Structures are given as structure tokens and as C-alpha cells.
Amino acid sequence: MRKILIFLAIFGLAFAGEMFQSVSEENATLIMQGKEKNYCPNCGMNLIKFHKTNHVHKDKQYCSLHCLYEATNGVIPSDAKVMDTKNLGFIDAKTAFYVVGSKVKGTMSKNSKYAFANEADAKEFMAKNGGEIMDFRAAYAKAKEDFGEDKKMIKAKREGGVYKKGKELYEKNCQKTDKKEYENIALLKQNLKDLCKLQNDGDLQAVALYIWDEPKNLSEKKRAEKIKVPKDARCPVCGMIVAKHPQWVAMIENGKEKIYFDGVKDMMKFYFQNDKKFDKLFVSDYYKLHKIDAKTAFFVIGSNVYGPMGDELIPFKTEEEAQSFAGEHAGKKILSFDEIDEKLVKEL
């Protein structure tokens, strides 16, 4: 058991180390003066962990352009600064070159937004990762365009497990506090270090979000739903009868039509073949077989567990469950939905 725990701990650190946005503490620039300087005042996220997408406005440091947009209420700020992704250090956002929509994972947004001090660095990054070069005004407008969908994504993730985790940790490990005592979530999160028997940043973030957002009806349990497959449904990609493999079922809803697949891999092939025109995609959680939204799920690739069509994108409702599975089954990588591309699917 001890060997397993050590392996999982190392494995978890390996995944944490792969976060592109992160820097070491000695390479971070934090401009706020209070004890809460490590945290975004808009969402509470760790500013070092998401450092390469940091923005500054009116002596406040934000984890992302999404949070800057929310804090400025959609009015483009004239004094904004942004972290130079390559060289690290804040630069005037008005002179920065943003690469928007690359395959590198973003912060608080499905469309990543990374800034560079000079155009050559931006073009080099874009050549490797895709995306489009924009100035600050255009990138801010893109944040505005993305804002509604990004809020839905964030809400789904928090309601999908973060609030529940925060509630449990708060009730078991913390002295009670009132969010009205704090100007912003960063101050609350900093104070939780003294009020809670917790030091892990993820745990503190879950508790802070639970207190700050005041989610309702967490105790009400929804009956878990599974994807129901007609007996004669065939996968449109490989022709297999889908009902023979219920633990791997995936589904696309296209209006009133439901299209069934014998695995996530075939569903994604179909999705890309049809120019990603579908909005409603569902997969079966590997552990519980519950129907979950594919766009908020986490997928393990390269494991020693195979689906009906061999190598698979194995889906989980939470990142923690995906990490646990990957540690036990030699998974090579964990992906969000937006990190899955057509090339990867073809290579599986």
C-alpha cells in the first residue's frame, strides 16, 4: 500500500509539473502587498500556479484575462499589464502580442490567451501551438465573446464536485467564518490558512469557493442517469452494435436525433469529421457508468486498459478520479475535452 501511495504522489506531482501556466516561486512576480498577494482577488486561484496568464490592473493581480474582464465589467482598462509568457515579467498590455486559441490549455477559458513582448516570440509560439495573434483590444473583445460559455464551464466544474468537496472540508476541518468579513475571495482564502487544518492549495480553493459562492441545495442528490442505448444501435464509425459494450457508450445529441458510439475515440472521430458542429456530447464515467457531459469530463490516454476498439480516451467526471486511474493503470496523460484534437484521435 505504501508503495502505491508513493507512486500516486509522484505521479500527481508529475502532472502538476506539466502545467504550462506555472512558474517556480522564485520566478514569480507578485505586485500586491498584503498576505493575500498569492491569490486572484476575482476567483481565488493561485497566481503562481497560473502565472503565465496573469494580468495587472489598479494594483490588483488577476490569474487570467477572463478575471480581468470580469473585474473591469467589460470596460477595457487603459493601465493593464500582462505577463510576458516567454521572458516572464509584466509588460504593457497595449503593446503586447496575444496568441489566442492555441492548443495550450488556457486559464478560466476554453480559448487560451497568452501574451508576448515581441511579435517574433508570439509567432514562434503560434507555429508550435496554433492560434491567432491579436492585440490587447482584440484579445479583450475575445474574452468578452467567450465570457458566457466560460462561465458555464466554470459553473459546471464547481457544481460537479468542487462545492461538495469544499463543504465537506469546511465542516470537518475549519472554524466557521462569514464571507461578509472579507473584501474579496483572496482575503478569505488567505485567512482560511489560519481557520482550517488545511494547507493544500486545492483544498483551500474548494473551501473558499464554497463559502464565497454560497451554492444552494448541495444536499439534494440527483438520481444518476446512464446513457440508454437501443439494442440495434450501431456505431456510425466502426459499425459495432453499441449495446454490447455498455461501459464504453458515448452519445451525441443532434436536435431530436441521438447518435451512439462504442467509445469516446469513435465519437471524437465523428465529431471532427463533421467539423465539430455538435454541442451536446456525452460519455460514460469509467467508474460509475454515469452519463456525463463530455465537455467538462477528464480523459486518460495511454493506459493499459483497452476499449472495444483498442486504445481509448477513458472518461471521468473529476480530475482526481482520472489521476487515480492513471496512477493505477499506467496512464500517460490526462486531457480536458478542449485538449483533444483530431491528430491525437487518429493516432490512438
Side-chain angles (χ1 to χ4, degrees):
M1 176 59 75
R2 189 179 173 202
K3 288 182 179 178
I4 292 172
L5 290 172
I6 291 172
F7 177 79
L8 287 175
I10 293 171
F11 191 85
L13 286 172
F15 272 105
E18 288 182 3
M19 267 193 60
F20 179 79
Q21 300 101 312
S22 300
V23 300
S24 61
E25 193 169 346
E26 56 267 26
N27 287 327
T29 302
L30 300 172
I31 64 99
M32 295 188 291
Q33 300 301 311
K35 290 182 179 179
E36 75 282 4
K37 66 181 181 180
N38 284 347
Y39 306 123
C40 175
N42 191 66
C43 72
M45 292 221 294
N46 191 300
L47 294 170
I48 299 175
K49 188 175 180 181
F50 298 94
H51 206 61
K52 291 179 183 176
T53 53
N54 279 195
H55 284 70
V56 168
H57 166 60
K58 287 188 176 179
D59 299 322
K60 298 289 185 184
Q61 188 165 340
Y62 300 94
C63 69
S64 61
L65 186 53
H66 171 92
C67 280
L68 175 69
Y69 174 83
E70 188 166 27
T72 52
N73 297 310
V75 178
I76 191 165
S78 60
D79 67 333
K81 294 184 178 180
V82 61
M83 181 60 57
D84 178 359
T85 301
K86 183 173 182 179
N87 301 305
L88 300 182
F90 284 108
I91 57 176
D92 187 340
K94 295 193 297 295
T95 64
F97 297 87
Y98 282 78
V99 178
V100 177
S102 75
K103 67 181 181 182
V104 179
K105 190 173 183 179
T107 305
M108 303 291 280
S109 178
K110 291 181 180 180
N111 278 313
S112 62
K113 301 168 183 73
Y114 288 96
F116 298 84
N118 62 74
E119 191 173 12
D121 290 341
K123 286 182 175 179
E124 181 183 10
F125 180 86
M126 186 178 68
K128 292 179 182 177
N129 304 295
E132 180 183 356
I133 294 178
M134 299 181 181
D135 62 14
F136 175 55
R137 184 171 291 276
Y140 190 87
K142 184 61 179 172
K144 177 181 180 179
E145 180 185 327
D146 293 343
F147 189 75
E149 286 301 311
D150 287 340
K151 287 290 281 186
K152 288 180 185 177
M153 174 189 71
I154 294 163
K155 183 174 183 285
K157 184 173 182 180
R158 291 176 182 178
E159 291 180 347
V162 175
Y163 288 144
K164 182 180 178 182
K165 176 183 176 182
K167 181 177 187 289
E168 291 172 354
L169 290 169
Y170 181 52
E171 292 176 348
K172 291 180 181 178
N173 300 281
C174 305
Q175 299 175 42
K176 298 300 177 281
T177 190
D178 187 339
K179 79 170 192 177
K180 293 177 183 177
E181 297 177 13
Y182 308 97
E183 180 185 345
N184 56 52
I185 192 174
L187 286 162
L188 167 61
K189 186 175 177 182
Q190 174 62 36
N191 203 49
L192 289 175
K193 289 183 177 180
D194 297 323
L195 296 175
C196 303
K197 298 174 183 177
L198 303 168
Q199 291 302 317
N200 177 271
D201 185 74
D203 292 344
L204 290 167
Q205 179 70 3
V207 174
L209 287 170
Y210 167 68
I211 296 170
W212 194 258
D213 290 353
E214 296 182 317
K216 308 299 182 186
N217 303 322
L218 280 186
S219 59
E220 293 181 9
K221 291 186 178 179
K222 272 186 166 182
R223 187 174 179 181
E225 180 185 357
K226 295 183 180 180
I227 300 174
K228 296 178 182 178
V229 186
K231 291 182 180 180
D232 60 347
R234 288 184 178 272
C235 173
V237 176
C238 70
M240 278 192 183
I241 295 176
V242 177
K244 288 184 176 181
H245 307 282
Q247 70 272 36
W248 297 100
V249 175
M251 178 180 74
I252 289 175
E253 287 187 5
N254 185 28
K256 293 182 179 180
E257 181 187 16
K258 293 181 179 179
I259 309 166
Y260 300 93
F261 304 86
D262 58 350
V264 177
K265 178 170 65 175
D266 278 356
M267 182 184 74
M268 295 307 298
K269 285 181 180 178
F270 189 84
Y271 178 67
F272 288 119
Q273 287 167 3
N274 288 276
D275 299 320
K276 304 191 291 186
K277 69 178 183 181
F278 309 108
D279 292 324
K280 295 183 178 180
L281 296 88
F282 301 95
V283 295
S284 300
D285 178 87
Y286 180 79
Y287 283 135
K288 304 179 183 73
L289 303 187
H290 294 166
K291 175 184 175 182
I292 54 176
D293 186 341
K295 293 188 176 182
T296 62
F298 296 89
F299 302 86
V300 176
I301 60 172
S303 76
N304 56 18
V305 175
Y306 301 98
M309 297 297 291
D311 289 327
E312 259 299 349
L313 289 143
I314 303 178
F316 299 86
K317 185 176 180 64
T318 70
E319 191 169 11
E320 290 79 10
E321 289 173 329
Q323 286 177 346
S324 176
F325 173 89
E328 293 171 3
H329 296 283
K332 292 181 181 177
K333 199 168 185 180
I334 295 172
L335 303 172
S336 67
F337 180 85
D338 294 319
E339 291 174 310
I340 301 170
D341 59 33
E342 191 170 8
K343 181 182 176 183
L344 181 148
V345 172
K346 287 179 178 178
E347 290 175 349
L348 285 176

